[in-house]
């Protein structure tokens, strides 16, 4: 069974850990959107790995990892990540491939990202300023540079022409000529020999793998509420992080996606600007942030924290067609006397049980809460569902009920084996399991 793993909130839900946990069941892990603005943090044997472009499946020996055409790639960031993994004993040679159709992030993209954000003033999006948005703008504007284009080494070819035109446009916009197109082109030519062995037709690779019956896991980067079409626009990323993006971002048919696993924290977080109805600005918000170490893996920025938003997760279930949920960071709620869950929004005199499309309206909404008892006994590291405190089981059952999706996985800590697999059939099918046996208790 193929599986698509998506974020069911505003990103940072713990997708990296879940992908790493499940990779043992899959031959290929394929990333389909985003850039190195994403940050997936994985802990294995006490070692911390922070991945930005490379799929989390790279930590498993023998698994093939693909970066699809829907991703925008900064070659310098990619090689930095490869070097870091190599230094930590992870060999990526022969296991990592990049689509020849993926677009390249170039120096002027990063600069234009900073300029665009500054011009927004108080309405800043909160981007990572790594050139992601401008690279996607060039892609949609049909003036981008693709990975496969770097093979053109001629001085008068299409690559040189595209770089020259784009740098000239940058210079006119910025008002100076300190960036030389020849320097940008020379840098790309320096990168190409190292990049060339990684370049592949990843769509064809996936087609053959699926035809051969090999199981594929599709990995999204940002969360559903950051999707360019379905998120809280304009406070979103520049690509489709929802499950539909797997088809366009990898060159496969929608029927080949398979099951869809939504990852959601036991509470809610968001990085950057934009609406967050359940945000807690006082001591409780700080408690969640510090207990959950809620700081961006890519930027280190503190995340905004709040109670679980069931309206948002129900919306994610609808637009992704979620088969099940992975509830992460349950242990962060340990020791709280009372928990709250947002079941609806109050907007003026109106009660909304579905996510409004108008972001301004969402910003004006107030959460309608349901109170649930907390628990004092620690859950960290528990691998059997029946060993959870009764109140924790009650909390998970209520999240399932109000989101309309069963929780097949519950994460109780940062380590790979700090996990409860309640229903393996929802994420890996009915075949034999290769997940570590201590975490396989229902």
């Amino acid at each position: 069974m193929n599986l698509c793993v998506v974020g069911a909130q505003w990103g940072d839900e713990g997708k990296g850990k879940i992908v790493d946990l499940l990779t043992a069941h899959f031959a290929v892990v394929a990333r389909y959107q985003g850039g190195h603005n994403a940050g997936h943090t994985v802990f294995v044997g006490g070692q911390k790995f922070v991945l930005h472009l490379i799929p989390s499946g790279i930590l498993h020996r023998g698994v093939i990892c693909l970066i699809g055409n829907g991703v925008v790639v900064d070659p310098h960031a990619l090689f930095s990540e490869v070097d870091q993994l190599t230094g930590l004993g992870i060999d990526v040679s022969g296991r990592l491939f990049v689509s020849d159709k993926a677009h390249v992030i170039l120096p002027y993209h990063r600069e234009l990202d900073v300029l665009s954000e500054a011009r927004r003033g108080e309405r800043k999006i909160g981007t990572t300023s790594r050139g992601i948005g401008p690279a996607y703008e060039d892609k949609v504007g049909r003036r981008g540079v693709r990975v496969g284009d770097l093979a053109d080494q001629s001085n008068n070819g299409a690559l040189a022409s595209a770089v020259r035109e784009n740098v000239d446009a940058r210079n006119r916009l910025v008002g100076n000529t300190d960036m030389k197109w020849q320097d940008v082109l020379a840098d790309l030519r320096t990168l190409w020999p190292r990049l060339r062995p990684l370049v592949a037709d990843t769509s064809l690779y996936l087609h053959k793998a699926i035809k051969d019956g090999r199981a594929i896991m599709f990995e999204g980067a940002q969360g559903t509420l950051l999707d360019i079409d379905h998120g809280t626009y304009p406070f979103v990323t520049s690509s489709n992080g929802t499950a539909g993006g797997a088809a366009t971002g990898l060159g496969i048919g929608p029927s080949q996606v398979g099951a869809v696993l939504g990852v959601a924290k036991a509470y809610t977080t968001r990085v950057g600007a934009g609406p967050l109805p359940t945000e807690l600005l006082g001591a409780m918000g700080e408690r969640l942030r510090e207990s959950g170490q809620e700081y961006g893996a890519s930027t280190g920025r503190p995340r905004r924290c709040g109670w679980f938003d069931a309206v948002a997760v129900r919306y994610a279930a609808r637009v992704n067609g979620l088969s099940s949920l992975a509830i992460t960071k349950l242990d962060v709620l340990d020791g709280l006397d009372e928990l709250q869950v947002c079941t609806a929004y109050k907007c003026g005199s109106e009660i909304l049980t579905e996510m409004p499309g108008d972001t301004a309206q969402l910003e004006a909404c107030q959460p309608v809460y349901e109170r649930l008892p907390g628990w004092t006994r620690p859950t960290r590291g528990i691998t059997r569902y029946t060993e959870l405190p009764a109140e924790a089981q009650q909390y998970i059952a209520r999240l399932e009920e109000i989101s309309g999706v069963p929780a097949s996985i519950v994460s109780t800590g940062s380590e790979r084996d700090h996990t409860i697999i309640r229903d393996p059939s929802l994420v890996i099918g009915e075949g034999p399991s290769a997940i570590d046996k201590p975490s396989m208790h229902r």
Side-chain angles (χ1 to χ4, degrees):
M1 181 175 75
N2 296 334
L3 178 70
C4 184
V5 178
V6 301
Q9 295 165 317
W10 277 272
D12 307 306
E13 301 97 344
K15 295 182 291 298
K17 173 187 171 172
I18 300 303
V19 169
D20 169 69
L21 171 75
L22 298 176
T23 293
H25 298 275
F26 296 89
V28 181
V29 179
R31 167 87 174 272
Y32 60 85
Q33 53 83 216
H36 64 303
N37 54 339
H40 291 173
T41 303
V42 180
F43 290 85
V44 181
Q47 175 69 57
K48 179 180 179 180
F49 298 88
V50 180
L51 301 164
H52 300 280
L53 270 172
I54 300 175
S56 306
I58 201 70
L59 302 180
H60 289 253
R61 186 177 304 165
V63 173
I64 301 297
C65 290
L66 306 179
I67 296 175
N69 58 273
V71 180
V72 288
V73 178
D74 183 329
H76 288 287
L78 175 63
F79 294 145
S80 174
E81 200 165 318
V82 168
D83 291 341
Q84 289 177 17
L85 286 170
T86 302
L88 293 169
I90 306 298
D91 183 13
V92 306
S93 58
R95 298 200 297 123
L96 175 66
F97 299 97
V98 182
S99 171
D100 55 351
K101 296 179 182 177
H103 279 248
V104 180
I105 298 174
L106 295 169
Y108 48 80
H109 291 136
R110 294 188 291 272
E111 192 172 50
L112 293 174
D113 203 357
V114 173
L115 181 63
S116 175
E117 188 76 340
R119 286 179 171 174
R120 288 182 176 273
E122 293 183 358
R123 295 292 290 177
K124 289 182 179 179
I125 301 298
T127 74
T128 58
S129 298
R130 296 186 177 188
I132 311 299
Y136 277 115
E137 288 182 49
D138 276 1
K139 173 181 178 176
V140 175
R142 293 167 292 185
R143 55 181 175 268
V145 172
R146 302 194 295 181
V147 167
D149 297 337
L150 272 58
D152 181 358
Q153 295 291 295
S154 64
N155 291 326
N156 298 308
L159 175 62
S161 177
V163 171
R164 180 174 62 252
E165 291 174 6
N166 286 341
V167 171
D168 286 347
R170 171 266 180 203
N171 289 342
R172 289 192 298 271
L173 182 63
V174 175
N176 63 53
T177 57
D178 60 345
M179 183 177 290
K180 307 297 182 184
W181 69 268
Q182 296 93 336
D183 295 338
V184 176
L185 184 62
D187 181 53
L188 292 176
R189 288 177 173 170
T190 300
L191 294 167
W192 177 242
R194 188 177 183 188
L195 186 60
R196 180 169 49 195
L198 306 181
V199 180
D201 183 340
T202 52
S203 171
L204 180 60
Y205 188 101
L206 286 169
H207 173 76
K208 291 179 177 178
I210 293 170
K211 189 175 181 181
D212 291 342
R214 303 167 70 194
I216 317 294
M217 179 155 46
F218 309 112
E219 179 188 58
Q222 288 82 18
T224 295
L225 277 300
L226 296 179
D227 183 281
I228 186 67
D229 286 300
H230 303 292
T232 49
Y233 190 89
F235 303 100
V236 293
T237 193
S238 301
S239 57
N240 292 112
T242 44
T248 56
L250 289 167
I252 60 169
S255 62
Q256 296 169 327
V257 170
V260 183
L261 175 66
V263 185
K265 285 175 181 168
Y267 48 101
T268 306
T269 66
R270 177 171 195 159
V271 170
L276 186 65
T278 66
E279 183 172 12
L280 297 167
L281 299 175
M284 183 56 70
E286 187 63 24
R287 155 68 168 77
L288 293 175
R289 182 178 302 110
E290 292 306 314
S291 180
Q293 283 300 287
E294 297 295 353
Y295 297 91
S298 291
T299 64
R301 290 181 296 179
R303 295 177 184 138
R304 300 155 61 193
C305 299
W307 295 118
F308 187 90
D309 187 337
V311 181
V313 175
R314 279 199 301 269
Y315 176 73
R318 172 162 58 88
V319 299
N320 289 293
L322 296 184
S323 309
S324 67
L325 282 174
I327 303 294
T328 62
K329 292 199 169 184
L330 181 71
D331 56 300
V332 173
L333 302 181
D334 290 355
L336 296 178
D337 294 331
E338 182 181 80
L339 306 174
Q340 298 188 55
V341 175
C342 171
T343 59
Y345 301 144
K346 188 176 190 305
C347 298
S349 60
E350 189 177 6
I351 298 296
L352 301 179
T353 57
E354 297 293 340
M355 179 73 64
D358 185 346
T359 299
Q361 181 185 18
L362 181 60
E363 286 184 312
C365 286
Q366 297 298 317
V368 176
Y369 284 122
E370 176 180 315
R371 299 175 185 275
L372 294 167
W375 54 89
T376 56
R377 187 158 53 87
T379 64
R380 183 173 178 79
I382 288 178
T383 60
R384 294 177 182 270
Y385 190 74
T386 55
E387 292 180 358
L388 289 173
E391 297 84 356
Q393 294 184 44
Q394 178 185 348
Y395 182 70
I396 293 167
R398 186 58 180 144
L399 298 191
E400 292 179 304
E401 183 179 13
I402 56 180
S403 66
V405 186
S408 58
I409 297 174
V410 178
S411 173
T412 58
S414 56
E415 286 286 342
R416 182 185 287 168
D417 60 353
H418 291 174
T419 313
I420 301 165
I421 309 294
R422 297 180 65 201
D423 191 345
S425 68
L426 291 174
V427 287
I428 60 171
E430 299 292 347
S433 173
I435 295 177
D436 293 338
K437 296 305 178 183
S439 63
M440 279 300 299
H441 302 289
R442 294 175 181 262

